[in-house]
Amino acid sequence: MGTSWKLADHPKLPKGKQVAVVVLDGWGEAKPNQYNCIHVAETPVMDSLKNGAPDKWRLVRAHGKAVGLPTEDDMGNSEVGHNALGAGRIFAQGAKLVDLALASGKIFEGEGFKYIKECFETGTLHLIGLLSDGGVHSRLDQLQLLLKGVSEHGGKRIRVHILTDGRDVLDGSSVGFVEILENDLAKLREKGIDARIASGGGRMYVTMDRYENDWSVVKRGWDAQVLGEAPHKFTSALEAVKKLRAEPKANDQYLPPFVIVDDNGKSVGPIVDGDAVVTLNFRADRMVMLAKALEYENFDKFDRVRYPKIHYAGMLEYDGELKLPSHYLVSPPEIDRTSGEYLVYNGIRTFACSETVKFGHVTFFWNGNRSGYFNPEMEEYVEIPSDSGITFNVKPKMKALEIAEKARDAILSRKFDQVRVNLPNSDMVGHTGDIEATVVACKAADEAVKMILDAIEQVGGIFVVTADHGNAEDMVKRDKSGNPSLDKNGNIQILTSHTLEPVPLAIGGPGLSPGVRFRNDVPTGGLANVAATVMNLHGFEAPSDYEPTLIEVVDN
């Protein structure tokens, strides 16, 4: 059965109006209080959308099952959020795909596992990934099930290279996670399997950089994991984490790299010819750079010193366009027929823009994990380089103004029917845990929205403003009763992760037909409903298998 790419016209909505789609990254809706940076910040534009027309503003779900994750306790993230926004349907995602493969045992029958298993007889299996139960990049229970499966399928020698979290989970929780893992590995040793932790470091300082922002992060990991070299050497990982955390200003995210050594001071687990390597993270963005270093023979981003001949597999495929890695344990969701592809096919000229840290989200992830243009004559994608070499709280305005200027110019040029942007501020600065800087970030994002909406006003267009998940609206860890949690010194525990909060969705602009309003019969609407909504605003009906639109037209 072939796909019909021709969209039906919407009976009550005209075509031809310019539509601006603005995604505020990490902008959720929560109770107003001093830890809600969106509430504290001056955000007159977003406030006016919320308080202006009650039938043109609503909340949508951006976490858990609404974005294809296993449970309602799973925070949304930018990848699954943009997949849902662009695809208009809910696909089983990252963690859920891995859970299904582990539960059924299919992961141990797949091509990827067979490939790494070829090294079990004579080589070591190395597992590299984030050690955490945060569920954003990886999960401890998946590592435990993988270790169990490897031990039952002939693995004889295992080395785990841990990255401590403190970003998606509480700072300091690394110690407990290491204790759990050490206990599991001790049990494997009792069964005659040589299983140990070999190296480690904090996720933001070792290995888990993204978007080629800072290759030295990956190099620090490479030196420890592959070469067995690091400035800190310990005989146990538990001692390593405890000692390094005791340093002034130390935290889990930025622990320096360390290696575990034997009694002679030799690294217990460098990666050498004939070994197998699996990167445990199911989320792609912070694994792509390491995947390149492990897989590409011609590689010039840093001096690898030696490039071992290994069998390498990712937990998932991290980049569908680059086919990277070429082997993986779990196959990706097949996201087809995205709204972007339909709209371009139906004559909607599209402009998309963000800065480096979220450029892939508003293009690659929006388009169903697909790089490049559907039709280069109909589309233009603009990437503004992000600040590098600094943490985002140093310049919390980031590139919001530059993104808004590009969007404004694209709208005023009248060359495009859809202008789509991502404003990363509230997410990227929210992740630093710096409340003052996050307030500045939210204000900057609001100012950027104003510039875009002013341009839409000028051309008589329509706007859609939404977000991909929460973050900046709650910056403090909370106890069971919802009060801020305190650490043992009585200080507030800062929350650096995403949240489970819903996100706003606002529509408006002079081009919006009279009588268009949000329906009230889709109360559980989520990000996947936005695609059909945007298609309607362009004057089309969405395909029948899309999540239903959130708008209706009432005859005045």
Side-chain angles (χ1 to χ4, degrees), residues 485-549:
S485 300
L486 306 177
D487 65 17
K488 57 181 184 288
N489 301 323
N491 298 317
I492 294 287
Q493 290 191 314
I494 294 294
L495 185 71
T496 54
S497 69
H498 298 166
T499 70
L500 301 171
E501 301 295 348
V503 300
L505 175 65
I507 53 172
L512 194 65
S513 301
V516 171
R517 67 179 188 194
F518 281 128
R519 301 161 58 175
N520 49 23
D521 60 348
V522 198
T524 58
L527 293 180
N529 298 82
V530 173
T533 308
V534 170
M535 285 171 146
N536 289 173
L537 296 173
H538 280 294
F540 298 110
E541 291 278 9
S544 58
D545 62 339
Y546 268 42
E547 292 293 310
T549 181

Side-chain angles (χ1 to χ4, degrees), residues 469-488:
H469 54 74
N471 183 336
E473 77 287 354
D474 197 10
M475 298 284 291
V476 66
K477 184 84 180 158
R478 296 183 182 277
D479 61 22
K480 294 271 192 292
S481 54
N483 297 315
S485 300
L486 306 177
D487 65 17
K488 57 181 184 288

Side-chain angles (χ1 to χ4, degrees), residues 167-183:
R167 188 175 173 96
D168 300 321
V169 292
L170 268 184
D171 183 48
S173 55
S174 57
V175 176
F177 295 134
V178 171
E179 284 175 333
I180 292 167
L181 178 57
E182 288 284 31
N183 194 31

Side-chain angles (χ1 to χ4, degrees), residues 351-424:
F351 177 89
C353 175
S354 187
E355 59 176 281
T356 308
V357 289
K358 297 291 178 180
F359 176 69
H361 295 82
V362 83
T363 55
F364 176 85
F365 292 106
W366 191 279
N367 291 334
N369 307 336
R370 181 187 182 285
S371 290
Y373 295 118
F374 294 112
N375 179 347
E377 289 168 21
M378 298 283 292
E379 297 171 277
E380 185 182 339
Y381 298 163
V382 173
E383 176 183 349
I384 294 163
S386 288
D387 294 319
S388 65
I390 56 166
T391 50
F392 289 105
N393 54 330
V394 176
K395 288 188 178 174
K397 294 182 180 179
M398 299 179 63
K399 304 298 176 195
L401 183 67
E402 292 87 335
I403 294 166
E405 286 171 345
K406 293 281 186 204
R408 175 199 64 198
D409 294 348
I411 292 164
L412 298 181
S413 77
R414 292 180 162 80
K415 283 196 304 203
F416 301 98
D417 305 290
Q418 183 180 109
V419 171
R420 183 169 74 230
V421 301
N422 178 299
L423 298 168

